[in-house]
Amino acid sequence: MQLIDFLESALPGAVAGGLLAWIFRNWISERLKQSISHEYSTKLENLRSELGAKLEAVKHVHEVDQLRTSLFFDHQRSAFGEILAKIVEVQQEWDKVIDPEEGMEDPVPPVPRRELEALYLKHQLFLDSDLIMALELLFEIYRESWPWSDGMETHRRDVRGPYSDAEYLQPRLAAVFRLKIGVGQDDLALRQLALLGAIRMLNHFHFPDVGVPVRGELRLKKDDRAAMAINRAEENVVELLEKMHAFHRHLQAQGHFYEAEASLRRYLSVLDGASRRQASQEGVAA
């Protein structure tokens, strides 16, 4: 106020008024700048603090996810090893009951087979759809070696076919497990298992409304083993997929064949995915 009084007394009125207005404007402007600067500084500090907290939270979640993923894959690799080792054991035990002179009459050994099924249930959480598909197919083949009863007596089966098919599946199952843990890159074994499962479904189920069991080129003969069935499916894959999709729609409409529909869906997931990748590669090449 002393400065203003001095200016008013030392300068003419108009000059003093203009100078005072200029000083007042600059003072107001400076105060506003300081106020805005302080406000922005406060907001910036708050934002920095908030961002730091969010980054720490994201970092924590990432570390937890990494730990969880690491533990999951560690357990997954361990589970895969146990399951594959038991599959080999089942086949080795089955080899022991083969009589070169009398032929094969004994079904898959029950003790290691039950142990394998127990491992499957124990580790099912760590198995994706493809691996469930592959193991369910193996169990289905095992069941085809079991004796059957007509209500009066028990009959043995010709187990040479199931034994041969299980033996054929063993290295392909190992290849699929390696693929799942990133050790292998070839997905041919997975496709072969899906083709085998698909063509078997079209031959073993009875749904006349959709032409199942199939006839023609997809029809399997009694002595067709896994390799022959896969070749037949591959050579007629377009017809196979059309029939499988029609069969899938039929089962979905029925609504009470969940296990069959789930198996069919797994086979289609593999085969449709392979078809899309092939079409994409052909498009890129063109």
Side-chain angles (χ1 to χ4, degrees), residues 77-171:
R77 285 190 290 269
S78 176
F80 290 0
E82 287 184 49
I83 292 172
L84 284 174
K86 187 59 67 172
I87 290 172
V88 172
E89 182 184 337
V90 171
Q91 202 68 21
Q92 289 175 341
E93 291 298 314
W94 208 351
D95 288 338
K96 293 178 182 179
V97 299
I98 296 175
D99 188 330
E101 296 182 359
E102 297 296 330
M104 293 184 63
E105 292 186 350
D106 291 310
V108 59
V111 174
R113 188 260 304 165
R114 284 196 292 268
E115 291 172 348
L116 174 59
E117 291 176 347
L119 281 175
Y120 169 65
L121 294 176
K122 173 185 175 182
H123 297 305
Q124 196 167 17
L125 174 65
F126 302 94
L127 305 177
D128 66 9
S129 175
D130 294 341
L131 293 173
I132 291 174
M133 175 202 76
L135 289 171
E136 289 288 347
L137 178 59
L138 178 65
F139 294 145
E140 180 184 315
I141 289 171
Y142 283 163
R143 288 191 291 271
E144 291 176 357
S145 73
W146 295 356
W148 63 279
S149 176
D150 59 7
M152 298 179 64
E153 57 181 317
T154 300
H155 303 270
R156 288 181 176 269
R157 296 179 187 269
D158 182 353
V159 302
R160 289 173 295 181
Y163 172 84
S164 174
D165 288 348
E167 188 176 42
Y168 181 90
L169 256 63
Q170 182 179 315

Side-chain angles (χ1 to χ4, degrees), residues 264-275:
L264 198 155
R265 184 168 10 97
R266 294 184 191 110
Y267 298 137
L268 281 174
S269 176
V270 174
L271 298 175
D272 284 340
S275 297

Side-chain angles (χ1 to χ4, degrees), residues 214-227:
V214 291
R215 300 186 180 277
E217 294 299 320
L218 291 174
R219 181 67 176 172
L220 295 178
K221 299 176 182 178
K222 184 177 181 181
D223 58 347
D224 281 345
R225 300 275 52 89

Side-chain angles (χ1 to χ4, degrees), residues 51-86:
L51 180 59
K54 288 182 177 180
L55 286 174
E56 285 298 320
V58 170
K59 181 180 177 181
H60 175 71
V61 170
H62 178 66
E63 290 174 347
V64 171
D65 285 344
Q66 279 190 317
L67 178 60
R68 186 183 293 115
T69 300
S70 176
L71 291 174
F72 179 89
F73 280 112
D74 285 345
H75 196 138
Q76 189 180 52
R77 285 190 290 269
S78 176
F80 290 0
E82 287 184 49
I83 292 172
L84 284 174
K86 187 59 67 172

